[in-house]
Amino acid sequence: IGDSSVLRKAMGVAQHHDAVSGTEKQHVADDYAKKLAKGWDRCEVLVSNALAGLSGLKQNFIFCNKLNISVCPRIEELGQFTVTLYNPLARAVNVFVRIPVNGTRYTLTDPKGSSVLNQIVPVSDFTKAVRKDRGYAVNELVFQARVPALGFSIYSVSRKSDSAVFRRPPPRR
Amino acid sequence: KGALKIENEYIRVLFDTNTGLISKIDNLHKNLSLPVTQSFYWYSASTGNSESGQPSGAYIFRPKGEAPFPMSKKVQTYTVQTDLFQEVYQNFSSWCSQTVRLYKNQKFVELEWTVGPIPVGDNIGKEVISRFDTPLKTDGIFYTDSNGREILARRRDYRPTWNLSQTEPVAGNYYPVNSRIYMKDGKIQLTVLTDRSQGGSSIKDGSLELMVHRRLLYDDNRGVGEPLSEPGYDGNGLIVRGKHFIFLETVDDSAELHRLQAQAEYMAPWTIMAEGAGTPYSSH
Protein backbone atom coordinates (compact mmCIF):
# COMPACT_ATOMS: atom_id res chain seq x y z
CA ILE A 1 0.00 0.00 0.00
CA GLY A 2 1.43 3.32 -1.02
CA ASP A 3 1.43 6.02 1.60
CA SER A 4 2.64 9.60 1.36
CA SER A 5 2.06 10.39 5.03
CA VAL A 6 5.42 8.90 6.10
CA LEU A 7 7.28 11.36 3.89
CA ARG A 8 4.91 14.16 4.85
CA LYS A 9 5.72 13.60 8.53
CA ALA A 10 9.45 13.38 7.83
CA MET A 11 9.24 16.65 5.91
CA GLY A 12 7.34 18.14 8.83
CA VAL A 13 10.13 17.18 11.22
CA ALA A 14 12.72 18.58 8.81
CA GLN A 15 11.04 22.00 8.87
CA HIS A 16 13.09 22.70 12.00
CA HIS A 17 15.52 25.53 11.35
CA ASP A 18 18.47 23.27 12.17
CA ALA A 19 17.50 20.89 9.35
CA VAL A 20 17.01 23.72 6.87
CA SER A 21 20.30 25.44 7.64
CA GLY A 22 22.42 22.38 8.43
CA THR A 23 23.23 23.48 11.96
CA GLU A 24 22.09 20.23 13.58
CA LYS A 25 24.40 17.73 15.26
CA GLN A 26 25.62 14.92 13.02
CA HIS A 27 23.47 12.22 14.63
CA VAL A 28 20.42 14.43 14.14
CA ALA A 29 21.36 14.94 10.47
CA ASP A 30 21.61 11.17 10.14
CA ASP A 31 18.17 10.78 11.69
CA TYR A 32 16.61 13.34 9.34
CA ALA A 33 18.14 11.46 6.40
CA LYS A 34 16.80 8.14 7.69
CA LYS A 35 13.28 9.52 8.16
CA LEU A 36 13.27 11.07 4.68
CA ALA A 37 14.57 7.85 3.10
CA LYS A 38 11.87 5.78 4.81
CA GLY A 39 9.27 8.30 3.67
CA TRP A 40 10.45 8.08 0.08
CA ASP A 41 10.37 4.25 0.21
CA ARG A 42 6.64 4.37 0.85
CA CYS A 43 6.16 7.02 -1.82
CA GLU A 44 7.79 4.78 -4.41
CA VAL A 45 4.91 2.35 -3.89
CA LEU A 46 2.43 5.20 -4.16
CA VAL A 47 3.99 6.47 -7.39
CA SER A 48 4.07 2.93 -8.84
CA ASN A 49 0.38 2.51 -8.05
CA ALA A 50 -0.43 5.89 -9.58
CA LEU A 51 1.51 5.20 -12.78
CA ALA A 52 -0.05 1.76 -13.12
CA GLY A 53 -3.51 3.24 -12.57
CA LEU A 54 -3.05 6.09 -15.01
CA SER A 55 -1.43 4.07 -17.79
CA GLY A 56 -3.40 0.87 -17.26
CA LEU A 57 -0.11 -1.05 -17.29
CA LYS A 58 0.96 -3.14 -14.33
CA GLN A 59 4.73 -3.13 -14.06
CA ASN A 60 7.39 -3.50 -11.43
CA PHE A 61 8.80 -0.02 -11.45
CA ILE A 62 12.44 0.54 -10.59
CA PHE A 63 13.44 3.77 -8.89
CA CYS A 64 17.05 4.82 -9.23
CA ASN A 65 17.96 7.37 -6.59
CA LYS A 66 21.64 7.53 -7.52
CA LEU A 67 21.38 8.47 -11.18
CA ASN A 68 23.58 11.50 -10.50
CA ILE A 69 26.50 9.11 -10.03
CA SER A 70 25.32 6.73 -12.76
CA VAL A 71 24.27 3.94 -10.40
CA CYS A 72 21.20 1.78 -11.03
CA PRO A 73 22.25 -1.89 -10.72
CA ARG A 74 18.78 -3.28 -11.47
CA ILE A 75 18.67 -1.95 -15.03
CA GLU A 76 22.31 -1.87 -16.05
CA GLU A 77 22.29 -5.41 -17.41
CA LEU A 78 18.76 -5.50 -18.81
CA GLY A 79 18.26 -6.15 -22.50
CA GLN A 80 14.90 -4.41 -22.52
CA PHE A 81 13.46 -1.80 -20.23
CA THR A 82 11.23 1.26 -20.26
CA VAL A 83 11.93 4.75 -19.02
CA THR A 84 8.92 6.62 -17.66
CA LEU A 85 9.29 10.36 -17.27
CA TYR A 86 6.77 12.23 -15.17
CA ASN A 87 6.63 16.00 -15.57
CA PRO A 88 5.13 17.91 -12.62
CA LEU A 89 5.22 21.23 -14.50
CA ALA A 90 2.15 22.70 -16.16
CA ARG A 91 3.95 22.96 -19.49
CA ALA A 92 5.62 20.42 -21.70
CA VAL A 93 9.39 20.10 -21.32
CA ASN A 94 12.29 18.69 -23.29
CA VAL A 95 14.85 16.99 -21.09
CA PHE A 96 18.09 15.13 -21.60
CA VAL A 97 18.06 11.78 -19.82
CA ARG A 98 21.17 9.85 -18.75
CA ILE A 99 20.77 6.18 -17.81
CA PRO A 100 23.64 3.92 -16.62
CA VAL A 101 24.00 0.86 -18.86
CA ASN A 102 26.56 -1.79 -19.69
CA GLY A 103 25.70 -2.31 -23.34
CA THR A 104 27.24 -0.36 -26.18
CA ARG A 105 24.32 -0.17 -28.64
CA TYR A 106 20.66 0.49 -27.96
CA THR A 107 17.53 1.25 -29.92
CA LEU A 108 15.13 3.68 -28.34
CA THR A 109 11.54 4.43 -29.25
CA ASP A 110 9.38 7.32 -28.12
CA PRO A 111 5.72 7.08 -27.03
CA LYS A 112 4.62 7.12 -30.67
CA GLY A 113 6.93 4.26 -31.53
CA SER A 114 9.35 6.43 -33.48
CA SER A 115 13.05 5.86 -33.22
CA VAL A 116 14.96 8.33 -31.02
CA LEU A 117 18.55 9.45 -31.51
CA ASN A 118 20.66 8.23 -28.60
CA GLN A 119 24.28 8.22 -27.60
CA ILE A 120 26.37 5.85 -25.55
CA VAL A 121 29.31 7.38 -23.72
CA PRO A 122 31.60 5.94 -21.07
CA VAL A 123 30.98 6.92 -17.47
CA SER A 124 33.49 9.64 -16.60
CA ASP A 125 36.62 8.93 -14.59
CA PHE A 126 35.34 11.39 -11.96
CA THR A 127 32.14 9.42 -11.48
CA LYS A 128 34.09 6.17 -11.32
CA ALA A 129 36.25 7.68 -8.58
CA VAL A 130 33.23 8.87 -6.56
CA ARG A 131 31.53 5.46 -6.60
CA LYS A 132 34.89 3.68 -6.06
CA ASP A 133 33.92 1.55 -9.00
CA ARG A 134 32.42 -1.56 -7.56
CA GLY A 135 31.31 -3.15 -10.79
CA TYR A 136 28.77 -0.46 -11.63
CA ALA A 137 27.72 0.50 -15.17
CA VAL A 138 30.51 1.41 -17.53
CA ASN A 139 28.44 3.49 -19.95
CA GLU A 140 25.65 6.02 -20.01
CA LEU A 141 22.75 6.06 -22.44
CA VAL A 142 21.88 9.67 -23.28
CA PHE A 143 18.79 10.82 -25.14
CA GLN A 144 16.44 13.75 -25.38
CA ALA A 145 12.85 13.20 -24.27
CA ARG A 146 9.70 15.27 -24.46
CA VAL A 147 7.23 15.05 -21.60
CA PRO A 148 3.73 16.53 -21.68
CA ALA A 149 2.45 19.03 -19.11
CA LEU A 150 1.47 17.40 -15.81
CA GLY A 151 1.83 14.00 -17.41
CA PHE A 152 4.23 11.31 -18.43
CA SER A 153 5.86 9.65 -21.41
CA ILE A 154 7.18 6.12 -21.68
CA TYR A 155 10.25 5.44 -23.77
CA SER A 156 11.28 1.87 -24.66
CA VAL A 157 14.92 0.79 -24.68
CA SER A 158 16.32 -2.36 -26.31
CA ARG A 159 19.90 -3.47 -26.26
CA LYS A 160 21.43 -4.40 -29.58
CA SER A 161 24.18 -6.92 -30.00
CA ASP A 162 27.51 -5.46 -29.02
CA SER A 163 29.19 -6.00 -32.34
CA ALA A 164 30.71 -2.55 -32.37
CA VAL A 165 32.86 -1.83 -29.37
CA PHE A 166 32.68 1.75 -28.16
CA ARG A 167 35.95 3.55 -28.26
CA ARG A 168 36.51 6.58 -26.09
CA PRO A 169 37.46 9.62 -28.17
CA PRO A 170 41.18 10.33 -27.76
CA PRO A 171 41.73 12.70 -24.86
CA ARG A 172 42.59 16.26 -25.82
CA ARG A 173 44.99 17.67 -23.28
CA LYS B 1 46.42 23.37 -31.67
CA GLY B 2 44.07 26.29 -30.96
CA ALA B 3 41.86 26.79 -27.93
CA LEU B 4 39.61 24.00 -26.74
CA LYS B 5 35.96 24.95 -27.21
CA ILE B 6 32.47 23.54 -27.09
CA GLU B 7 29.53 25.11 -28.84
CA ASN B 8 25.96 24.58 -29.92
CA GLU B 9 23.51 26.72 -31.87
CA TYR B 10 23.31 29.32 -29.08
CA ILE B 11 26.38 29.21 -26.88
CA ARG B 12 30.12 28.83 -27.27
CA VAL B 13 32.48 28.18 -24.36
CA LEU B 14 36.20 28.65 -24.81
CA PHE B 15 38.93 27.27 -22.59
CA ASP B 16 42.33 28.76 -21.90
CA THR B 17 45.06 26.85 -23.71
CA ASN B 18 47.48 27.12 -20.79
CA THR B 19 45.26 26.68 -17.76
CA GLY B 20 42.38 24.56 -19.09
CA LEU B 21 39.91 26.86 -17.31
CA ILE B 22 36.86 28.45 -18.94
CA SER B 23 38.11 31.67 -20.47
CA LYS B 24 35.19 33.07 -22.45
CA ILE B 25 31.48 32.56 -23.09
CA ASP B 26 29.78 33.74 -26.27
CA ASN B 27 26.05 34.09 -26.84
CA LEU B 28 25.98 33.41 -30.57
CA HIS B 29 22.37 34.47 -31.11
CA LYS B 30 22.75 37.87 -29.46
CA ASN B 31 26.35 38.39 -30.52
CA LEU B 32 27.42 38.84 -26.91
CA SER B 33 30.86 37.91 -25.72
CA LEU B 34 32.23 37.94 -22.19
CA PRO B 35 35.65 36.87 -20.91
CA VAL B 36 34.84 34.62 -17.94
CA THR B 37 37.35 32.76 -15.83
CA GLN B 38 35.75 30.12 -13.64
CA SER B 39 37.66 28.16 -11.07
CA PHE B 40 37.48 26.65 -7.60
CA TYR B 41 39.09 28.17 -4.52
CA TRP B 42 39.00 27.53 -0.80
CA TYR B 43 38.94 29.85 2.17
CA SER B 44 40.94 28.85 5.20
CA ALA B 45 38.48 28.72 8.10
CA SER B 46 39.16 31.09 10.98
CA THR B 47 39.88 29.62 14.38
CA GLY B 48 39.62 33.05 15.97
CA ASN B 49 42.04 35.98 15.98
CA SER B 50 42.99 39.03 18.04
CA GLU B 51 39.89 40.92 16.89
CA SER B 52 37.47 38.17 17.76
CA GLY B 53 37.66 34.64 19.08
CA GLN B 54 34.87 33.58 16.73
CA PRO B 55 35.80 30.48 14.73
CA SER B 56 34.10 29.46 11.50
CA GLY B 57 31.48 26.81 12.18
CA ALA B 58 28.05 25.46 11.31
CA TYR B 59 26.34 28.80 11.99
CA ILE B 60 29.17 31.18 11.24
CA PHE B 61 31.18 31.61 8.03
CA ARG B 62 34.38 33.42 8.91
CA PRO B 63 37.41 32.95 6.68
CA LYS B 64 40.88 33.61 8.01
CA GLY B 65 41.88 35.91 5.15
CA GLU B 66 40.25 37.80 2.34
CA ALA B 67 41.97 35.92 -0.49
CA PRO B 68 40.92 32.32 -1.09
CA PHE B 69 43.48 29.75 -2.21
CA PRO B 70 43.13 28.49 -5.79
CA MET B 71 42.33 24.79 -5.97
CA SER B 72 44.59 24.58 -8.98
CA LYS B 73 46.12 27.07 -11.37
CA LYS B 74 46.12 24.59 -14.19
CA VAL B 75 43.65 21.78 -14.79
CA GLN B 76 43.85 18.62 -16.83
CA THR B 77 41.09 18.43 -19.42
CA TYR B 78 39.66 16.07 -21.95
CA THR B 79 36.61 16.48 -24.13
CA VAL B 80 33.78 14.28 -25.36
CA GLN B 81 31.81 15.62 -28.29
CA THR B 82 28.71 13.91 -29.67
CA ASP B 83 25.65 14.88 -31.72
CA LEU B 84 23.59 15.40 -28.55
CA PHE B 85 26.05 17.10 -26.24
CA GLN B 86 29.58 18.31 -25.79
CA GLU B 87 31.53 18.05 -22.57
CA VAL B 88 34.86 19.14 -21.21
CA TYR B 89 36.11 17.34 -18.11
CA GLN B 90 38.32 19.40 -15.79
CA ASN B 91 40.36 17.81 -13.04
CA PHE B 92 41.25 20.43 -10.41
CA SER B 93 42.68 18.12 -7.75
CA SER B 94 42.22 14.67 -6.27
CA TRP B 95 39.08 15.98 -4.53
CA CYS B 96 37.66 18.52 -6.99
CA SER B 97 36.50 18.02 -10.58
CA GLN B 98 34.00 19.49 -12.97
CA THR B 99 32.22 18.69 -16.21
CA VAL B 100 31.37 21.65 -18.45
CA ARG B 101 28.42 20.56 -20.60
CA LEU B 102 26.45 21.95 -23.50
CA TYR B 103 23.43 19.97 -24.69
CA LYS B 104 22.04 20.42 -28.17
CA ASN B 105 19.78 23.49 -28.45
CA GLN B 106 20.24 24.51 -24.82
CA LYS B 107 20.72 28.20 -24.12
CA PHE B 108 22.88 27.78 -21.04
CA VAL B 109 26.08 26.11 -19.93
CA GLU B 110 25.81 23.34 -17.35
CA LEU B 111 28.63 22.94 -14.83
CA GLU B 112 28.51 19.68 -12.88
CA TRP B 113 30.99 19.87 -10.02
CA THR B 114 32.14 17.15 -7.65
CA VAL B 115 33.91 18.25 -4.47
CA GLY B 116 35.19 16.20 -1.57
CA PRO B 117 36.14 14.58 0.63
CA ILE B 118 37.80 17.80 1.76
CA PRO B 119 41.17 16.89 3.26
CA VAL B 120 41.80 18.26 6.74
CA GLY B 121 44.99 16.39 7.56
CA ASP B 122 46.80 19.74 7.59
CA ASN B 123 44.50 20.84 10.46
CA ILE B 124 42.95 23.57 8.33
CA GLY B 125 39.19 23.81 7.89
CA LYS B 126 38.27 24.59 4.30
CA GLU B 127 35.32 26.37 2.69
CA VAL B 128 35.23 25.73 -1.04
CA ILE B 129 33.85 28.17 -3.59
CA SER B 130 33.28 28.27 -7.34
CA ARG B 131 34.14 31.76 -8.61
CA PHE B 132 33.38 33.51 -11.91
CA ASP B 133 35.61 36.47 -12.75
CA THR B 134 34.64 38.84 -15.56
CA PRO B 135 35.43 42.42 -16.63
CA LEU B 136 31.80 43.47 -16.05
CA LYS B 137 31.57 46.87 -14.35
CA THR B 138 29.07 46.14 -11.60
CA ASP B 139 29.70 49.03 -9.17
CA GLY B 140 29.48 46.78 -6.13
CA ILE B 141 25.95 45.60 -6.99
CA PHE B 142 24.83 42.01 -7.42
CA TYR B 143 21.51 40.21 -7.08
CA THR B 144 20.32 37.22 -5.11
CA ASP B 145 16.88 35.67 -4.82
CA SER B 146 14.58 34.40 -2.13
CA ASN B 147 13.14 31.12 -3.41
CA GLY B 148 13.01 32.59 -6.90
CA ARG B 149 10.38 35.12 -5.88
CA GLU B 150 11.80 38.48 -4.97
CA ILE B 151 15.23 39.20 -6.38
CA LEU B 152 17.05 41.60 -4.09
CA ALA B 153 19.84 43.96 -5.11
CA ARG B 154 22.83 43.58 -2.78
CA ARG B 155 25.46 46.28 -2.50
CA ARG B 156 28.91 45.46 -1.22
CA ASP B 157 29.72 46.82 2.26
CA TYR B 158 26.29 48.40 2.55
CA ARG B 159 22.97 47.83 4.33
CA PRO B 160 19.91 49.80 3.25
CA THR B 161 18.60 50.48 6.75
CA TRP B 162 21.68 51.36 8.83
CA ASN B 163 25.20 52.69 8.50
CA LEU B 164 27.38 49.62 8.24
CA SER B 165 30.88 49.47 9.62
CA GLN B 166 32.19 46.44 7.78
CA THR B 167 34.45 44.25 9.91
CA GLU B 168 34.28 41.06 7.81
CA PRO B 169 35.05 41.94 4.16
CA VAL B 170 34.19 38.46 2.89
CA ALA B 171 31.63 36.97 5.27
CA GLY B 172 29.96 40.35 5.77
CA ASN B 173 29.11 40.40 2.09
CA TYR B 174 27.79 36.84 1.82
CA TYR B 175 24.06 36.36 1.23
CA PRO B 176 21.74 33.37 0.94
CA VAL B 177 21.28 32.16 -2.62
CA ASN B 178 18.19 29.98 -2.81
CA SER B 179 18.16 29.46 -6.55
CA ARG B 180 20.08 32.18 -8.41
CA ILE B 181 22.66 34.94 -8.27
CA TYR B 182 23.48 37.40 -11.01
CA MET B 183 25.39 40.52 -11.92
CA LYS B 184 25.09 42.89 -14.86
CA ASP B 185 26.38 46.02 -16.50
CA GLY B 186 24.22 48.18 -18.77
CA LYS B 187 24.11 45.54 -21.48
CA ILE B 188 25.13 42.04 -20.35
CA GLN B 189 23.87 39.86 -17.51
CA LEU B 190 25.65 36.79 -16.18
CA THR B 191 23.24 34.58 -14.20
CA VAL B 192 24.10 31.46 -12.21
CA LEU B 193 21.24 29.13 -11.24
CA THR B 194 21.92 26.71 -8.41
CA ASP B 195 20.38 23.29 -7.78
CA ARG B 196 20.30 23.85 -4.00
CA SER B 197 20.59 26.69 -1.50
CA GLN B 198 24.11 28.03 -1.15
CA GLY B 199 25.89 31.11 0.13
CA GLY B 200 27.10 33.59 -2.45
CA SER B 201 28.62 36.98 -3.00
CA SER B 202 30.46 39.38 -5.27
CA ILE B 203 33.59 40.32 -3.37
CA LYS B 204 35.01 42.31 -6.28
CA ASP B 205 33.33 44.04 -9.22
CA GLY B 206 32.63 41.63 -12.06
CA SER B 207 33.07 38.60 -9.80
CA LEU B 208 30.51 36.10 -8.50
CA GLU B 209 31.16 33.26 -6.09
CA LEU B 210 29.13 30.45 -4.57
CA MET B 211 30.13 28.23 -1.66
CA VAL B 212 29.74 24.60 -2.69
CA HIS B 213 31.17 22.64 0.24
CA ARG B 214 32.83 23.16 3.62
CA ARG B 215 34.51 21.06 6.28
CA LEU B 216 35.58 22.52 9.61
CA LEU B 217 37.53 21.45 12.64
CA TYR B 218 36.14 23.68 15.39
CA ASP B 219 32.73 24.39 16.86
CA ASP B 220 31.59 27.99 16.48
CA ASN B 221 30.12 28.16 20.01
CA ARG B 222 26.62 28.96 18.76
CA GLY B 223 24.88 25.90 20.14
CA VAL B 224 25.56 22.93 17.90
CA GLY B 225 28.48 21.83 20.05
CA GLU B 226 30.45 20.00 17.36
CA PRO B 227 32.51 20.99 14.30
CA LEU B 228 30.82 20.83 10.90
CA SER B 229 32.65 17.83 9.50
CA GLU B 230 30.24 15.37 7.94
CA PRO B 231 31.89 11.94 7.77
CA GLY B 232 30.12 10.63 4.62
CA TYR B 233 29.29 6.95 4.15
CA ASP B 234 32.85 5.71 4.66
CA GLY B 235 33.90 8.11 7.41
CA ASN B 236 36.44 9.91 5.24
CA GLY B 237 34.34 13.01 4.58
CA LEU B 238 31.38 13.91 2.43
CA ILE B 239 31.57 14.09 -1.35
CA VAL B 240 29.06 16.46 -2.94
CA ARG B 241 27.99 16.70 -6.55
CA GLY B 242 25.85 19.51 -7.87
CA LYS B 243 25.15 21.74 -10.82
CA HIS B 244 25.36 25.38 -11.75
CA PHE B 245 23.59 26.67 -14.86
CA ILE B 246 25.18 29.67 -16.51
CA PHE B 247 23.27 32.16 -18.66
CA LEU B 248 24.93 34.91 -20.65
CA GLU B 249 22.19 37.15 -21.99
CA THR B 250 21.12 40.72 -22.47
CA VAL B 251 19.78 42.38 -19.34
CA ASP B 252 16.32 42.68 -20.93
CA ASP B 253 16.01 39.02 -21.97
CA SER B 254 17.65 37.28 -19.00
CA ALA B 255 14.65 36.95 -16.70
CA GLU B 256 12.57 34.99 -19.19
CA LEU B 257 15.38 32.46 -19.56
CA HIS B 258 16.46 32.00 -15.97
CA ARG B 259 12.95 31.95 -14.51
CA LEU B 260 11.71 29.25 -16.88
CA GLN B 261 14.83 27.14 -16.43
CA ALA B 262 14.72 27.48 -12.64
CA GLN B 263 11.14 26.14 -12.70
CA ALA B 264 12.23 23.26 -14.90
CA GLU B 265 15.09 22.49 -12.54
CA TYR B 266 13.08 22.80 -9.33
CA MET B 267 10.34 20.57 -10.72
CA ALA B 268 12.51 18.36 -12.89
CA PRO B 269 10.87 15.25 -14.38
CA TRP B 270 11.06 12.03 -12.40
CA THR B 271 12.76 9.13 -14.12
CA ILE B 272 11.32 5.72 -13.35
CA MET B 273 12.41 2.49 -15.00
CA ALA B 274 10.67 -0.83 -15.55
CA GLU B 275 11.81 -4.19 -16.86
CA GLY B 276 10.48 -5.46 -20.18
CA ALA B 277 9.36 -4.08 -23.50
CA GLY B 278 6.46 -1.99 -22.16
CA THR B 279 3.93 -0.19 -24.29
CA PRO B 280 4.47 3.26 -25.76
CA TYR B 281 2.39 5.74 -23.84
CA SER B 282 2.06 9.48 -23.42
CA SER B 283 -0.56 10.99 -21.18
CA HIS B 284 -2.51 14.08 -22.14
Side-chain angles (χ1 to χ4, degrees):
Chain A
I1 297 171
D3 179 11
S4 63
S5 68
V6 183
L7 183 62
R8 183 169 55 81
K9 286 175 185 168
M11 288 294 287
V13 173
Q15 299 291 313
H16 188 277
H17 68 263
D18 271 358
V20 175
S21 60
T23 48
E24 74 278 56
K25 284 180 185 286
Q26 187 60 50
H27 74 272
V28 180
D30 295 342
D31 190 53
Y32 286 143
K34 188 176 177 181
K35 282 183 195 298
L36 290 167
K38 282 186 168 181
W40 176 244
D41 280 349
R42 299 296 295 273
C43 280
E44 285 185 354
V45 182
L46 188 74
V47 172
S48 296
N49 292 347
L51 284 176
L54 289 168
S55 67
L57 307 167
K58 193 172 181 192
Q59 294 183 86
N60 290 321
F61 291 102
I62 301 167
F63 292 78
C64 304
N65 296 324
K66 294 178 183 169
L67 282 182
N68 68 328
I69 52 168
S70 306
V71 170
C72 191
R74 288 179 64 190
I75 62 152
E76 287 163 9
E77 297 293 347
L78 293 178
Q80 267 194 328
F81 61 92
T82 61
V83 180
T84 301
L85 296 154
Y86 171 73
N87 172 24
L89 274 180
R91 56 180 162 89
V93 292
N94 292 310
V95 288
F96 284 90
V97 183
R98 301 179 86 102
I99 308 288
V101 291
N102 275 326
T104 56
R105 294 172 75 212
Y106 288 83
T107 52
L108 215 134
T109 52
D110 69 9
K112 290 177 182 165
S114 305
S115 177
V116 177
L117 175 68
N118 67 85
Q119 210 87 51
I120 298 288
V121 287
V123 169
S124 74
D125 294 344
F126 306 150
T127 296
K128 285 179 185 168
V130 166
R131 55 188 203 180
K132 302 191 189 304
D133 252 32
R134 297 175 176 141
Y136 293 126
V138 294
N139 292 328
E140 277 187 313
L141 169 71
V142 188
F143 64 97
Q144 188 175 24
R146 183 163 178 83
V147 200
L150 291 168
F152 58 96
S153 298
I154 300 177
Y155 286 72
S156 298
V157 183
S158 296
R159 184 170 172 169
K160 292 158 89 175
S161 61
D162 294 345
S163 55
V165 176
F166 180 84
R167 292 184 201 286
R168 177 191 285 263
R172 193 170 159 187
R173 303 284 176 191
Chain B
K1 293 178 189 172
L4 178 59
K5 68 175 179 182
I6 52 175
E7 74 176 270
N8 65 14
E9 192 184 343
Y10 297 98
I11 300 283
R12 179 193 297 136
V13 185
L14 287 107
F15 296 80
D16 187 284
T17 315
N18 295 317
T19 63
L21 301 173
I22 292 175
S23 61
K24 195 172 149 200
I25 301 177
D26 297 328
N27 179 327
L28 302 172
H29 259 214
K30 301 284 174 66
N31 213 16
L32 300 174
S33 186
L34 184 69
V36 179
T37 302
Q38 183 272 338
S39 191
F40 290 89
Y41 302 80
W42 56 271
Y43 287 105
S44 173
S46 177
T47 53
N49 59 12
S50 57
E51 287 172 22
S52 164
Q54 178 66 60
S56 208
Y59 289 85
I60 307 288
F61 165 44
R62 188 173 187 234
K64 193 175 271 178
E66 289 179 40
F69 297 95
M71 190 72 73
S72 174
K73 288 179 179 167
K74 204 171 179 177
V75 298
Q76 284 192 327
T77 61
Y78 69 90
T79 179
V80 172
Q81 311 216 358
T82 71
D83 292 340
L84 284 178
F85 64 90
Q86 299 173 39
E87 295 174 330
V88 169
Y89 294 79
Q90 297 174 306
N91 191 20
F92 287 80
S93 73
S94 59
W95 53 279
C96 180
S97 60
Q98 180 172 257
T99 306
V100 183
R101 185 176 289 139
L102 262 184
Y103 282 112
K104 190 179 172 185
N105 294 328
Q106 271 188 347
K107 296 180 177 175
F108 56 89
V109 188
E110 182 178 308
L111 305 184
E112 187 175 47
W113 38 266
T114 307
V115 180
I118 297 174
V120 287
D122 53 5
N123 280 326
I124 298 172
K126 298 176 183 67
E127 316 197 59
V128 183
I129 60 163
S130 170
R131 196 174 79 190
F132 302 81
D133 293 314
T134 76
L136 284 178
K137 293 182 173 33
T138 53
D139 293 327
I141 310 282
F142 60 105
Y143 300 80
T144 63
D145 77 307
S146 180
N147 290 328
R149 291 188 280 266
E150 191 178 9
I151 305 277
L152 296 175
R154 311 292 195 179
R155 193 167 136 195
R156 196 160 54 247
D157 298 331
Y158 175 80
R159 300 290 186 272
T161 51
W162 78 93
N163 289 326
L164 175 71
S165 171
Q166 185 63 271
T167 56
E168 295 286 343
V170 176
N173 285 306
Y174 256 69
Y175 289 92
V177 176
N178 290 128
S179 67
R180 72 208 74 189
I181 183 169
Y182 61 77
M183 61 182 172
K184 58 189 181 181
D185 63 7
K187 187 184 168 196
I188 295 179
Q189 179 169 321
L190 183 77
T191 308
V192 183
L193 286 188
T194 63
D195 63 349
R196 67 198 67 185
S197 291
Q198 292 173 328
S201 187
S202 173
I203 302 297
K204 289 179 185 163
D205 278 3
S207 174
L208 281 184
E209 63 186 63
L210 287 156
M211 189 180 291
V212 296
H213 195 8
R214 54 203 301 247
R215 189 174 185 195
L216 307 167
L217 299 166
Y218 297 94
D219 177 36
D220 56 11
N221 303 314
R222 299 286 163 152
V224 68
E226 59 187 44
L228 194 155
S229 179
E230 290 176 84
Y233 73 95
D234 60 0
N236 291 327
L238 203 63
I239 305 172
V240 292
R241 171 170 280 191
K243 288 180 182 175
H244 288 152
F245 306 95
I246 319 302
F247 294 85
L248 179 73
E249 252 300 335
T250 60
V251 172
D252 288 344
D253 292 343
S254 280
E256 186 181 352
L257 284 180
H258 71 68
R259 284 196 178 275
L260 289 175
Q261 186 56 35
Q263 265 187 346
E265 200 52 42
Y266 177 60
M267 298 181 82
W270 294 352
T271 309
I272 303 149
M273 266 63 84
E275 194 172 341
T279 307
Y281 183 88
S282 183
S283 65
H284 302 287

